[in-house]
């Protein structure tokens, strides 16, 4: 088996050992060779790859796949970055993928028992990959408001914020009004706020003839 780079080989070894429920360590790791063994000294499992100078790839030269040690349901190789990379596809397919569902997924797929804090952090990282960082999104609200006013002259946009003790401001709500470009005309007014999870949602909307103090 061949790999384009040494890192590809290391990643494949880590993936394999996590699936197998074993802990390994790299005892040789330089520019021309890479060797991994089981962390249990009595176990004879080993994989060795070296660089093939003819086609500049890394090729497995030795692979003894016979663990004499027992399987484990925890593995330091299954770190936060690895967990998040696995959860990205789940979050894309199931936007409301929950922490308990993630725990069940890793238990059934890899027989891993993970701490809930580890899952929570990895799930948050996966959501940031899929949806972007929340702070970055909120920072774009003023640009969004300016764009609305530029595209729809005469519209009204108000962003409500809460002043924090440290002097920073936190988004509270946004009020938006825009002209309807239809035969009937009028304006559509909407009010949005954030919930306990800091997600924006529409509180109410209405269509009126004209925006005034009554509406």
């Amino acid at each position: 088996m061949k790999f384009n780079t040494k890192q590809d080989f290391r990643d494949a070894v880590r993936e394999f050992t996590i699936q197998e429920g074993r802990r390994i360590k790299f005892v040789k790791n330089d520019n021309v060779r890479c060797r991994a063994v089981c962390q249990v000294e009595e176990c004879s499992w080993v994989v060795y790859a070296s660089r093939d100078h003819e086609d500049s790839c890394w090729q497995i030269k030795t692979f003894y796949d016979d663990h004499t040690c027992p399987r484990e349901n925890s593995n330091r190789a299954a770190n936060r970055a690895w967990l998040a990379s696995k959860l990205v596809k789940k979050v894309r397919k199931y936007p409301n993928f929950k922490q308990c569902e993630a725990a069940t997924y890793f238990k059934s797929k890899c027989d891993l028992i993970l701490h809930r804090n580890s899952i929570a952090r990895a799930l948050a990282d996966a959501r940031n990959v899929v949806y972007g960082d929340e702070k970055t999104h909120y920072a774009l609200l003023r640009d969004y408001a300016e764009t609305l006013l530029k595209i729809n002259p005469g519209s009204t946009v108000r962003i409500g914020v809460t002043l924090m003790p440290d002097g920073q401001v936190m988004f509270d709500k946004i009020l938006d009004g825009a002209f309807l470009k239809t035969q009937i005309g009028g304006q559509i007014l909407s009010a949005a706020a954030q919930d306990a999870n800091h997600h924006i949602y529409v509180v109410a909307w209405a269509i009126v003839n004209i925006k005034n103090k009554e509406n």
Side-chain angles (χ1 to χ4, degrees):
M1 185 177 293
K2 295 183 178 181
F3 301 88
N4 292 329
T5 65
K6 182 179 68 174
Q7 188 60 48
D8 289 341
F9 167 71
R10 287 173 58 92
D11 291 343
V13 171
R14 181 177 69 167
E15 186 74 25
F16 179 77
T17 54
I18 291 175
Q19 298 293 338
E20 291 293 305
R22 303 307 202 283
R23 292 179 294 120
I24 59 98
K25 59 182 178 181
F26 291 93
V27 293
K28 294 289 185 181
N29 186 22
D30 53 36
N31 293 331
V32 295
R33 56 185 177 174
C34 189
R35 182 169 180 259
V37 299
C38 183
Q39 287 193 5
V40 179
E41 294 183 0
E42 296 79 12
C43 183
S44 56
W45 185 93
V46 62
V47 60
Y48 171 79
S50 61
R51 185 176 180 181
D52 190 332
H53 294 283
E54 293 183 359
D55 52 7
S56 299
C57 68
W58 286 73
Q59 184 173 4
I60 293 179
K61 301 296 180 64
T62 303
F63 183 34
Y64 186 72
D65 187 23
D66 187 14
H67 280 283
T68 56
C69 58
R71 183 184 178 94
E72 299 180 2
N73 54 23
S74 63
N75 197 322
R76 294 184 64 181
N79 56 22
R80 178 174 175 175
W82 184 86
L83 294 174
S85 68
K86 300 301 178 184
L87 290 173
V88 166
K89 290 183 179 180
K90 286 293 183 181
V91 173
R92 289 189 193 278
K93 188 174 183 179
Y94 308 105
N96 297 321
F97 198 63
K98 299 179 181 179
Q99 184 175 325
C100 59
E101 294 173 324
T104 302
Y105 167 72
F106 286 115
K107 182 65 175 67
S108 61
K109 185 176 178 63
C110 310
D111 197 26
L112 285 173
I113 298 178
L114 302 167
H115 193 279
R116 61 182 182 180
N117 290 341
S118 299
I119 298 177
R121 288 191 290 266
L123 197 54
D125 291 344
R127 289 198 175 103
N128 284 340
V129 172
V130 176
Y131 303 114
D133 183 71
E134 290 184 353
K135 291 183 179 180
T136 303
H137 284 178
Y138 282 117
L140 296 175
L141 277 176
R142 295 188 185 278
D143 293 336
Y144 167 73
E146 291 180 2
T147 301
L148 285 178
L149 295 175
K150 185 182 296 184
I151 296 176
N152 300 289
S155 299
T156 301
V157 180
R158 294 181 180 177
I159 299 176
V161 297
T162 300
L163 183 63
M164 305 302 291
D166 59 359
Q168 299 291 325
V169 293
M170 178 180 291
F171 171 79
D172 181 52
K173 56 184 174 293
I174 182 170
L175 306 177
D176 182 18
F179 288 102
L180 294 174
K181 299 178 181 179
T182 63
Q183 292 182 348
I184 300 176
Q187 293 189 51
I188 181 170
L189 307 178
S190 63
Q194 64 175 349
D195 58 19
N197 295 319
H198 304 296
H199 295 157
I200 296 177
Y201 66 99
V202 176
V203 177
W205 63 272
I207 296 176
V208 297
N209 291 328
I210 186 173
K211 181 177 180 295
N212 53 34
K213 292 183 179 180
E214 294 181 359
N215 52 40

